mmCIF file of all heavy atoms in Angstrom:
data_model
loop_
_atom_site.group_PDB
_atom_site.id
_atom_site.type_symbol
_atom_site.label_atom_id
_atom_site.label_comp_id
_atom_site.label_asym_id
_atom_site.label_seq_id
_atom_site.Cartn_x
_atom_site.Cartn_y
_atom_site.Cartn_z
ATOM 1 N N GLN A 660 56.458 101.371 80.714
ATOM 2 C CA GLN A 660 56.392 102.802 80.421
ATOM 3 C C GLN A 660 55.471 103.524 81.404
ATOM 4 O O GLN A 660 55.767 104.654 81.833
ATOM 5 C CB GLN A 660 55.911 103.030 78.982
ATOM 6 C CG GLN A 660 56.020 104.485 78.540
ATOM 7 C CD GLN A 660 57.434 105.013 78.642
ATOM 8 O OE1 GLN A 660 58.366 104.420 78.105
ATOM 9 N NE2 GLN A 660 57.610 106.127 79.352
ATOM 10 N N ALA A 661 54.363 102.884 81.773
ATOM 11 C CA ALA A 661 53.462 103.488 82.765
ATOM 12 C C ALA A 661 54.175 103.648 84.101
ATOM 13 O O ALA A 661 53.995 104.659 84.802
ATOM 14 C CB ALA A 661 52.212 102.619 82.915
ATOM 15 N N TYR A 662 54.982 102.663 84.462
ATOM 16 C CA TYR A 662 55.748 102.746 85.717
ATOM 17 C C TYR A 662 56.722 103.919 85.660
ATOM 18 O O TYR A 662 56.817 104.718 86.611
ATOM 19 C CB TYR A 662 56.503 101.439 85.950
ATOM 20 C CG TYR A 662 57.268 101.383 87.247
ATOM 21 C CD1 TYR A 662 56.734 100.730 88.362
ATOM 22 C CD2 TYR A 662 58.519 101.976 87.375
ATOM 23 C CE1 TYR A 662 57.435 100.681 89.563
ATOM 24 C CE2 TYR A 662 59.221 101.944 88.570
ATOM 25 C CZ TYR A 662 58.678 101.290 89.658
ATOM 26 O OH TYR A 662 59.373 101.259 90.844
ATOM 27 N N ILE A 663 57.445 104.034 84.550
ATOM 28 C CA ILE A 663 58.432 105.107 84.406
ATOM 29 C C ILE A 663 57.752 106.471 84.437
ATOM 30 O O ILE A 663 58.238 107.419 85.073
ATOM 31 C CB ILE A 663 59.227 104.903 83.110
ATOM 32 C CG1 ILE A 663 60.122 103.666 83.243
ATOM 33 C CG2 ILE A 663 60.056 106.128 82.767
ATOM 34 C CD1 ILE A 663 60.788 103.243 81.954
ATOM 35 N N ASP A 664 56.609 106.582 83.768
ATOM 36 C CA ASP A 664 55.866 107.851 83.775
ATOM 37 C C ASP A 664 55.406 108.204 85.185
ATOM 38 O O ASP A 664 55.491 109.375 85.604
ATOM 39 C CB ASP A 664 54.665 107.765 82.840
ATOM 40 C CG ASP A 664 55.072 107.669 81.372
ATOM 41 O OD1 ASP A 664 56.231 107.976 81.055
ATOM 42 O OD2 ASP A 664 54.222 107.264 80.549
ATOM 43 N N ALA A 665 54.913 107.205 85.913
ATOM 44 C CA ALA A 665 54.449 107.454 87.281
ATOM 45 C C ALA A 665 55.612 107.865 88.183
ATOM 46 O O ALA A 665 55.465 108.753 89.044
ATOM 47 C CB ALA A 665 53.761 106.208 87.842
ATOM 48 N N TYR A 666 56.769 107.227 87.987
ATOM 49 C CA TYR A 666 57.942 107.601 88.786
ATOM 50 C C TYR A 666 58.323 109.050 88.506
ATOM 51 O O TYR A 666 58.632 109.823 89.428
ATOM 52 C CB TYR A 666 59.114 106.673 88.473
ATOM 53 C CG TYR A 666 60.319 106.913 89.358
ATOM 54 C CD1 TYR A 666 60.482 106.204 90.541
ATOM 55 C CD2 TYR A 666 61.282 107.858 89.019
ATOM 56 C CE1 TYR A 666 61.581 106.436 91.364
ATOM 57 C CE2 TYR A 666 62.374 108.102 89.832
ATOM 58 C CZ TYR A 666 62.527 107.384 91.001
ATOM 59 O OH TYR A 666 63.602 107.627 91.821
ATOM 60 N N GLY A 667 58.290 109.426 87.225
ATOM 61 C CA GLY A 667 58.626 110.797 86.876
ATOM 62 C C GLY A 667 57.659 111.798 87.479
ATOM 63 O O GLY A 667 58.065 112.870 87.946
ATOM 64 N N ALA A 668 56.365 111.460 87.470
ATOM 65 C CA ALA A 668 55.369 112.362 88.054
ATOM 66 C C ALA A 668 55.582 112.501 89.561
ATOM 67 O O ALA A 668 55.487 113.606 90.117
ATOM 68 C CB ALA A 668 53.968 111.837 87.760
ATOM 69 N N THR A 669 55.869 111.372 90.219
ATOM 70 C CA THR A 669 56.126 111.423 91.666
ATOM 71 C C THR A 669 57.348 112.282 91.956
ATOM 72 O O THR A 669 57.336 113.129 92.863
ATOM 73 C CB THR A 669 56.348 110.004 92.221
ATOM 74 O OG1 THR A 669 55.179 109.229 92.008
ATOM 75 C CG2 THR A 669 56.662 110.047 93.707
ATOM 76 N N PHE A 670 58.404 112.073 91.185
ATOM 77 C CA PHE A 670 59.607 112.875 91.403
ATOM 78 C C PHE A 670 59.309 114.355 91.201
ATOM 79 O O PHE A 670 59.762 115.209 91.984
ATOM 80 C CB PHE A 670 60.726 112.438 90.457
ATOM 81 C CG PHE A 670 61.947 113.304 90.569
ATOM 82 C CD1 PHE A 670 62.866 113.100 91.589
ATOM 83 C CD2 PHE A 670 62.159 114.349 89.672
ATOM 84 C CE1 PHE A 670 63.979 113.921 91.724
ATOM 85 C CE2 PHE A 670 63.271 115.172 89.792
ATOM 86 C CZ PHE A 670 64.181 114.953 90.821
ATOM 87 N N GLY A 671 58.543 114.679 90.173
ATOM 88 C CA GLY A 671 58.253 116.078 89.892
ATOM 89 C C GLY A 671 57.569 116.777 91.053
ATOM 90 O O GLY A 671 57.989 117.861 91.472
ATOM 91 N N ARG A 672 56.523 116.149 91.581
ATOM 92 C CA ARG A 672 55.803 116.827 92.669
ATOM 93 C C ARG A 672 56.595 116.799 93.980
ATOM 94 O O ARG A 672 56.543 117.749 94.761
ATOM 95 C CB ARG A 672 54.408 116.247 92.847
ATOM 96 C CG ARG A 672 54.329 114.785 93.201
ATOM 97 C CD ARG A 672 52.869 114.357 93.439
ATOM 98 N NE ARG A 672 52.761 112.920 93.603
ATOM 99 C CZ ARG A 672 52.519 112.066 92.608
ATOM 100 N NH1 ARG A 672 52.356 112.522 91.378
ATOM 101 N NH2 ARG A 672 52.443 110.766 92.837
ATOM 102 N N GLN A 673 57.335 115.729 94.210
ATOM 103 C CA GLN A 673 58.108 115.660 95.447
ATOM 104 C C GLN A 673 59.312 116.598 95.409
ATOM 105 O O GLN A 673 59.656 117.224 96.406
ATOM 106 C CB GLN A 673 58.567 114.224 95.708
ATOM 107 C CG GLN A 673 57.460 113.286 96.145
ATOM 108 C CD GLN A 673 56.878 113.679 97.487
ATOM 109 O OE1 GLN A 673 57.548 114.252 98.344
ATOM 110 N NE2 GLN A 673 55.602 113.375 97.680
ATOM 111 N N ASN A 674 59.946 116.690 94.256
ATOM 112 C CA ASN A 674 61.075 117.606 94.142
ATOM 113 C C ASN A 674 60.618 119.040 94.333
ATOM 114 O O ASN A 674 61.324 119.862 94.945
ATOM 115 C CB ASN A 674 61.739 117.427 92.773
ATOM 116 C CG ASN A 674 63.077 118.120 92.687
ATOM 117 O OD1 ASN A 674 63.821 118.198 93.673
ATOM 118 N ND2 ASN A 674 63.403 118.640 91.517
ATOM 119 N N LEU A 675 59.436 119.364 93.832
ATOM 120 C CA LEU A 675 58.863 120.694 94.047
ATOM 121 C C LEU A 675 58.622 120.936 95.532
ATOM 122 O O LEU A 675 58.892 122.027 96.054
ATOM 123 C CB LEU A 675 57.560 120.822 93.257
ATOM 124 C CG LEU A 675 56.867 122.189 93.290
ATOM 125 C CD1 LEU A 675 57.754 123.246 92.643
ATOM 126 C CD2 LEU A 675 55.522 122.117 92.565
ATOM 127 N N ARG A 676 58.164 119.904 96.222
ATOM 128 C CA ARG A 676 57.892 120.030 97.670
ATOM 129 C C ARG A 676 59.150 120.371 98.461
ATOM 130 O O ARG A 676 59.107 121.151 99.416
ATOM 131 C CB ARG A 676 57.283 118.726 98.199
ATOM 132 C CG ARG A 676 57.074 118.688 99.711
ATOM 133 C CD ARG A 676 56.498 117.363 100.175
ATOM 134 N NE ARG A 676 57.405 116.248 99.982
ATOM 135 C CZ ARG A 676 58.357 115.905 100.854
ATOM 136 N NH1 ARG A 676 58.540 116.598 101.975
ATOM 137 N NH2 ARG A 676 59.141 114.872 100.603
ATOM 138 N N VAL A 677 60.288 119.774 98.051
ATOM 139 C CA VAL A 677 61.522 119.965 98.828
ATOM 140 C C VAL A 677 62.400 121.088 98.279
ATOM 141 O O VAL A 677 63.537 121.256 98.740
ATOM 142 C CB VAL A 677 62.329 118.654 98.905
ATOM 143 C CG1 VAL A 677 61.516 117.576 99.592
ATOM 144 C CG2 VAL A 677 62.792 118.188 97.522
ATOM 145 N N GLY A 678 61.902 121.841 97.299
ATOM 146 C CA GLY A 678 62.656 123.004 96.849
ATOM 147 C C GLY A 678 63.248 122.904 95.457
ATOM 148 O O GLY A 678 63.906 123.835 94.985
ATOM 149 N N GLY A 679 63.053 121.766 94.764
ATOM 150 C CA GLY A 679 63.469 121.647 93.378
ATOM 151 C C GLY A 679 64.943 121.417 93.135
ATOM 152 O O GLY A 679 65.416 121.576 92.008
ATOM 153 N N HIS A 680 65.699 121.010 94.158
ATOM 154 C CA HIS A 680 67.150 120.876 93.997
ATOM 155 C C HIS A 680 67.621 119.433 93.827
ATOM 156 O O HIS A 680 68.823 119.186 93.666
ATOM 157 C CB HIS A 680 67.858 121.469 95.221
ATOM 158 C CG HIS A 680 67.486 120.789 96.507
ATOM 159 N ND1 HIS A 680 66.312 121.089 97.179
ATOM 160 C CD2 HIS A 680 68.119 119.835 97.229
ATOM 161 C CE1 HIS A 680 66.247 120.336 98.270
ATOM 162 N NE2 HIS A 680 67.330 119.578 98.316
ATOM 163 N N LYS A 681 66.699 118.483 93.851
ATOM 164 C CA LYS A 681 67.101 117.083 93.729
ATOM 165 C C LYS A 681 67.343 116.708 92.265
ATOM 166 O O LYS A 681 66.698 117.238 91.360
ATOM 167 C CB LYS A 681 66.023 116.156 94.311
ATOM 168 C CG LYS A 681 65.789 116.313 95.813
ATOM 169 C CD LYS A 681 66.981 115.847 96.625
ATOM 170 C CE LYS A 681 66.685 115.898 98.119
ATOM 171 N NZ LYS A 681 67.842 115.442 98.924
ATOM 172 N N ARG A 682 68.250 115.764 92.060
ATOM 173 C CA ARG A 682 68.520 115.238 90.730
ATOM 174 C C ARG A 682 67.900 113.856 90.628
ATOM 175 O O ARG A 682 68.181 112.989 91.457
ATOM 176 C CB ARG A 682 70.024 115.157 90.486
ATOM 177 C CG ARG A 682 70.392 114.676 89.092
ATOM 178 C CD ARG A 682 71.900 114.690 88.902
ATOM 179 N NE ARG A 682 72.276 114.196 87.583
ATOM 180 C CZ ARG A 682 73.531 114.100 87.164
ATOM 181 N NH1 ARG A 682 74.517 114.460 87.972
ATOM 182 N NH2 ARG A 682 73.785 113.636 85.953
ATOM 183 N N ARG A 683 67.074 113.653 89.621
ATOM 184 C CA ARG A 683 66.310 112.411 89.532
ATOM 185 C C ARG A 683 67.223 111.202 89.352
ATOM 186 O O ARG A 683 68.154 111.210 88.547
ATOM 187 C CB ARG A 683 65.327 112.471 88.362
ATOM 188 C CG ARG A 683 64.245 111.399 88.421
ATOM 189 C CD ARG A 683 63.483 111.279 87.124
ATOM 190 N NE ARG A 683 64.300 110.626 86.091
ATOM 191 C CZ ARG A 683 63.827 110.222 84.907
ATOM 192 N NH1 ARG A 683 62.560 110.414 84.612
ATOM 193 N NH2 ARG A 683 64.623 109.655 84.026
ATOM 194 N N LEU A 684 66.935 110.160 90.111
ATOM 195 C CA LEU A 684 67.603 108.877 89.928
ATOM 196 C C LEU A 684 66.957 108.151 88.744
ATOM 197 O O LEU A 684 65.939 108.597 88.207
ATOM 198 C CB LEU A 684 67.471 108.038 91.198
ATOM 199 C CG LEU A 684 68.039 108.663 92.475
ATOM 200 C CD1 LEU A 684 67.673 107.824 93.698
ATOM 201 C CD2 LEU A 684 69.547 108.823 92.381
ATOM 202 N N ASP A 685 67.526 107.038 88.333
ATOM 203 C CA ASP A 685 66.922 106.322 87.209
ATOM 204 C C ASP A 685 65.522 105.852 87.594
ATOM 205 O O ASP A 685 65.257 105.540 88.758
ATOM 206 C CB ASP A 685 67.800 105.149 86.767
ATOM 207 C CG ASP A 685 67.673 103.925 87.661
ATOM 208 O OD1 ASP A 685 66.643 103.238 87.571
ATOM 209 O OD2 ASP A 685 68.606 103.660 88.438
ATOM 210 N N PRO A 686 64.603 105.828 86.644
ATOM 211 C CA PRO A 686 63.199 105.530 86.956
ATOM 212 C C PRO A 686 62.834 104.057 86.864
ATOM 213 O O PRO A 686 61.650 103.714 86.920
ATOM 214 C CB PRO A 686 62.456 106.323 85.878
ATOM 215 C CG PRO A 686 63.358 106.211 84.687
ATOM 216 C CD PRO A 686 64.772 106.254 85.237
ATOM 217 N N LEU A 687 63.802 103.192 86.714
ATOM 218 C CA LEU A 687 63.493 101.777 86.510
ATOM 219 C C LEU A 687 63.029 101.111 87.800
ATOM 220 O O LEU A 687 63.517 101.431 88.891
ATOM 221 C CB LEU A 687 64.729 101.037 86.004
ATOM 222 C CG LEU A 687 65.289 101.463 84.653
ATOM 223 C CD1 LEU A 687 66.514 100.635 84.332
ATOM 224 C CD2 LEU A 687 64.237 101.326 83.572
ATOM 225 N N PRO A 688 62.128 100.149 87.698
ATOM 226 C CA PRO A 688 61.747 99.378 88.889
ATOM 227 C C PRO A 688 62.914 98.497 89.317
ATOM 228 O O PRO A 688 63.822 98.210 88.533
ATOM 229 C CB PRO A 688 60.571 98.531 88.402
ATOM 230 C CG PRO A 688 60.832 98.365 86.930
ATOM 231 C CD PRO A 688 61.453 99.657 86.481
ATOM 232 N N ARG A 689 62.902 98.073 90.552
ATOM 233 C CA ARG A 689 63.887 97.107 91.040
ATOM 234 C C ARG A 689 63.217 95.793 91.435
ATOM 235 O O ARG A 689 63.898 94.800 91.673
ATOM 236 C CB ARG A 689 64.639 97.671 92.241
ATOM 237 C CG ARG A 689 65.512 98.864 91.936
ATOM 238 C CD ARG A 689 66.605 98.530 90.936
ATOM 239 N NE ARG A 689 67.565 99.627 90.819
ATOM 240 C CZ ARG A 689 67.436 100.658 90.005
ATOM 241 N NH1 ARG A 689 66.363 100.730 89.216
ATOM 242 N NH2 ARG A 689 68.352 101.606 89.950
ATOM 243 N N LEU A 690 61.910 95.802 91.518
ATOM 244 C CA LEU A 690 61.146 94.613 91.871
ATOM 245 C C LEU A 690 59.969 94.510 90.916
ATOM 246 O O LEU A 690 59.312 95.510 90.616
ATOM 247 C CB LEU A 690 60.660 94.712 93.323
ATOM 248 C CG LEU A 690 60.034 93.470 93.954
ATOM 249 C CD1 LEU A 690 61.099 92.374 94.118
ATOM 250 C CD2 LEU A 690 59.436 93.809 95.312
ATOM 251 N N VAL A 691 59.715 93.301 90.411
ATOM 252 C CA VAL A 691 58.626 93.072 89.463
ATOM 253 C C VAL A 691 57.749 91.946 90.002
ATOM 254 O O VAL A 691 58.255 90.926 90.480
ATOM 255 C CB VAL A 691 59.171 92.683 88.070
ATOM 256 C CG1 VAL A 691 58.027 92.480 87.084
ATOM 257 C CG2 VAL A 691 60.149 93.737 87.555
ATOM 258 N N ALA A 692 56.446 92.138 89.938
ATOM 259 C CA ALA A 692 55.485 91.113 90.356
ATOM 260 C C ALA A 692 54.712 90.645 89.130
ATOM 261 O O ALA A 692 54.188 91.469 88.367
ATOM 262 C CB ALA A 692 54.527 91.666 91.408
ATOM 263 N N VAL A 693 54.657 89.323 88.947
ATOM 264 C CA VAL A 693 53.975 88.752 87.789
ATOM 265 C C VAL A 693 52.993 87.681 88.264
ATOM 266 O O VAL A 693 53.421 86.668 88.833
ATOM 267 C CB VAL A 693 54.965 88.115 86.793
ATOM 268 C CG1 VAL A 693 54.226 87.676 85.527
ATOM 269 C CG2 VAL A 693 56.104 89.066 86.462
ATOM 270 N N PRO A 694 51.692 87.866 88.066
ATOM 271 C CA PRO A 694 50.732 86.818 88.443
ATOM 272 C C PRO A 694 51.087 85.492 87.775
ATOM 273 O O PRO A 694 51.415 85.440 86.592
ATOM 274 C CB PRO A 694 49.399 87.369 87.924
ATOM 275 C CG PRO A 694 49.580 88.855 87.922
ATOM 276 C CD PRO A 694 51.018 89.067 87.541
ATOM 277 N N GLY A 695 51.035 84.438 88.553
ATOM 278 C CA GLY A 695 51.361 83.124 88.038
ATOM 279 C C GLY A 695 52.837 82.806 88.055
ATOM 280 O O GLY A 695 53.234 81.664 87.781
ATOM 281 N N LEU A 696 53.668 83.786 88.366
ATOM 282 C CA LEU A 696 55.120 83.573 88.345
ATOM 283 C C LEU A 696 55.770 83.882 89.685
ATOM 284 O O LEU A 696 56.554 83.097 90.201
ATOM 285 C CB LEU A 696 55.756 84.430 87.244
ATOM 286 C CG LEU A 696 57.191 84.072 86.876
ATOM 287 C CD1 LEU A 696 57.239 82.700 86.196
ATOM 288 C CD2 LEU A 696 57.781 85.131 85.938
ATOM 289 N N GLY A 697 55.455 85.038 90.274
ATOM 290 C CA GLY A 697 56.050 85.405 91.557
ATOM 291 C C GLY A 697 56.688 86.770 91.503
ATOM 292 O O GLY A 697 56.206 87.682 90.818
ATOM 293 N N LEU A 698 57.811 86.931 92.222
ATOM 294 C CA LEU A 698 58.528 88.196 92.308
ATOM 295 C C LEU A 698 59.883 88.072 91.625
ATOM 296 O O LEU A 698 60.509 87.017 91.651
ATOM 297 C CB LEU A 698 58.725 88.606 93.770
ATOM 298 C CG LEU A 698 57.461 88.878 94.581
ATOM 299 C CD1 LEU A 698 57.820 89.136 96.048
ATOM 300 C CD2 LEU A 698 56.699 90.083 94.010
ATOM 301 N N ILE A 699 60.343 89.181 91.052
ATOM 302 C CA ILE A 699 61.629 89.206 90.354
ATOM 303 C C ILE A 699 62.416 90.408 90.845
ATOM 304 O O ILE A 699 61.939 91.545 90.769
ATOM 305 C CB ILE A 699 61.431 89.309 88.830
ATOM 306 C CG1 ILE A 699 60.552 88.163 88.328
ATOM 307 C CG2 ILE A 699 62.779 89.314 88.118
ATOM 308 C CD1 ILE A 699 59.972 88.415 86.949
#
């Protein structure tokens, strides 16, 4: 949830920078890092 919230905040400020016309993509991560396990 923290990742999704951060993605939304980034999109909000960046979309404002470029004029507010972008449509947000899904906020899910595509890569996950887990200590003791590796990358997913």
Side-chain angles (χ1 to χ4, degrees):
Q660 189 58 53
Y662 183 99
I663 291 171
D664 292 344
Y666 186 92
T669 299
F670 175 81
R672 61 176 172 268
Q673 287 295 330
N674 192 34
L675 184 63
R676 175 181 66 85
V677 299
H680 60 279
K681 296 292 185 180
R682 183 177 178 180
R683 196 193 73 170
L684 302 172
D685 79 74
L687 297 179
R689 294 299 189 273
L690 190 67
V691 181
V693 186
L696 194 68
L698 297 174
I699 304 163

